[in-house]
Amino acid sequence: MNLQTIFLYFLLFGFASCQQTIQSNPQNIPTKDSAVNNQNQQVAESPITVEPLLDTSTYANPRTEETAKQQRQELVKLADEGLFGKLHLKLQAGLAESQKNYFEGHTNLNILAQTNGDIFGNKENDYAYVVYDKEKYQIEILLFDQQDKRFKTLYRDVHVSNLLQQSDCYYTNGTIDYSIAAELIYQEDYIRSSQSNYLIDDKAFSVDDISKNNNFDLQQGCLSKDFSKNTMANTLCIPTSSVYANYQCLKYNKTKEVFEIYFSQEFAD
């Protein structure tokens, strides 16, 4: 048997072996349609839920613990001088009886400002308060849900999602409760002499339709692209400066059960 015959023999043997392997081990290669169907089935079985990015109060955030501690010391000083207590007695006298009863039972809370309106979107007269908590030594935003007959503290009992955090136009120094406290500390002399504060003056702390109020400049301010003018009613507007027309504006999202900061106005005259 010459070399050419031997080479031809091995070539035919190898081809026969390969054919036998393919027949005994067939592979199921999915078609384009079956691959798409499988992908759609996976999506249907595992829907993707996008959770809102929630804010943590400056007072409760471990990363700002030292900053919060310093501010608490300043707030204690104002409270010890009786400045918050005097404002509380002045404001409590004008409350509805049901609201007054709550604060009489929670003597750790001093009312520094209050407003009302359809805050939770249930066509009810809800209430919002800025308070000083004498046990926690901090400013809090307290909300009364008329439908649930419950008081809820912003950031703790009801969450906040800041829709503006990724916007180039948004700047802030701490969460809203912390920002209010900083301004009250700055206003110490005025509070002492007038027995008022910037939140009370001109009723700047309010529930409003910001598309119809000249205090708000939607063109110059920072506005979430998800909000149109016809969705701006019943917005909780909180001023953060006694000098400039600075505001943080939130609206309750009933579907997500969260307050959304959708408009901010910083250093606008």
Side-chain angles (χ1 to χ4, degrees):
M1 182 181 294
N2 58 30
L3 290 175
Q4 185 176 5
T5 304
I6 293 172
F7 175 76
L8 182 61
Y9 172 78
F10 279 111
L11 183 62
L12 291 174
F13 178 78
F15 178 75
S17 299
C18 180
Q19 286 292 101
Q20 185 178 4
T21 301
I22 292 174
Q23 291 175 2
S24 60
N25 295 287
Q27 295 182 3
N28 293 324
I29 301 175
T31 63
K32 179 179 179 181
D33 290 341
S34 65
V36 171
N37 289 337
N38 289 337
Q39 186 179 25
N40 290 339
Q41 183 178 3
Q42 290 176 358
V43 172
E45 291 175 352
S46 304
I48 298 175
T49 303
V50 178
E51 296 292 336
L53 183 63
L54 302 179
D55 278 3
T56 300
S57 170
T58 302
Y59 293 116
N61 192 334
R63 292 180 296 177
T64 54
E65 182 177 357
E66 188 59 32
T67 301
K69 180 181 178 181
Q70 293 174 4
Q71 190 185 78
R72 284 188 172 104
Q73 292 171 350
E74 295 292 328
L75 291 171
V76 168
K77 176 187 172 186
L78 270 63
D80 287 347
E81 291 185 19
L83 301 186
F84 293 157
K86 290 176 182 178
L87 285 174
H88 172 77
L89 291 175
K90 178 180 176 181
L91 293 171
Q92 187 184 37
L95 296 182
E97 203 63 32
S98 61
Q99 301 293 297
K100 189 182 297 183
N101 291 339
Y102 177 83
F103 288 102
E104 287 176 350
H106 293 77
T107 56
N108 60 304
L109 300 178
N110 282 159
I111 306 170
L112 305 182
Q114 71 92 18
T115 189
N116 59 286
D118 187 13
I119 298 171
F120 287 93
N122 297 316
K123 298 182 179 179
E124 299 277 3
N125 188 32
D126 307 311
Y127 292 87
Y129 301 92
V130 173
V131 301
Y132 172 68
D133 190 324
K134 292 183 284 186
E135 294 177 351
K136 295 185 174 69
Y137 314 113
Q138 65 190 44
I139 295 297
E140 293 182 340
I141 301 167
L142 187 64
L143 306 170
F144 179 72
D145 187 334
Q146 191 71 251
Q147 181 167 281
D148 291 349
K149 305 297 181 186
R150 286 180 55 205
F151 283 87
K152 307 172 184 179
T153 303
L154 203 66
Y155 293 108
R156 187 168 67 240
D157 302 318
V158 57
H159 295 301
V160 177
S161 177
N162 192 337
L163 302 183
L164 305 175
Q165 283 184 340
Q166 305 303 320
S167 302
D168 292 338
C169 57
Y170 181 72
Y171 303 95
T172 186
N173 181 25
T175 48
I176 298 174
D177 46 2
Y178 178 86
S179 297
I180 292 173
E183 195 62 24
L184 290 171
I185 292 167
Y186 173 77
Q187 270 210 314
E188 177 182 349
D189 291 339
Y190 177 77
I191 295 172
R192 182 180 289 106
S193 62
S194 67
Q195 293 191 29
S196 185
N197 63 51
Y198 83 102
L199 294 161
I200 300 172
D201 296 345
D202 301 323
K203 298 182 179 179
F205 177 48
S206 64
V207 179
D208 208 342
D209 184 339
I210 69 172
S211 68
K212 299 178 180 179
N213 190 321
N214 292 332
N215 287 334
F216 307 100
D217 189 336
L218 302 181
Q219 299 298 321
Q220 298 298 320
C222 189
L223 177 65
S224 170
K225 59 181 175 52
D226 296 328
F227 277 77
S228 60
K229 285 189 175 182
N230 59 4
T231 62
M232 294 178 180
N234 305 321
T235 295
L236 179 61
C237 301
I238 304 174
T240 56
S241 173
S242 59
V243 179
Y244 301 101
N246 292 359
Y247 288 89
Q248 298 288 306
C249 295
L250 314 87
K251 183 163 181 175
Y252 187 63
N253 186 320
K254 294 178 69 174
T255 303
K256 298 179 181 179
E257 297 183 333
V258 63
F259 276 92
E260 295 175 326
I261 302 176
Y262 76 90
F263 178 75
S264 171
Q265 186 168 284
E266 300 288 336
F267 301 106
D269 291 321

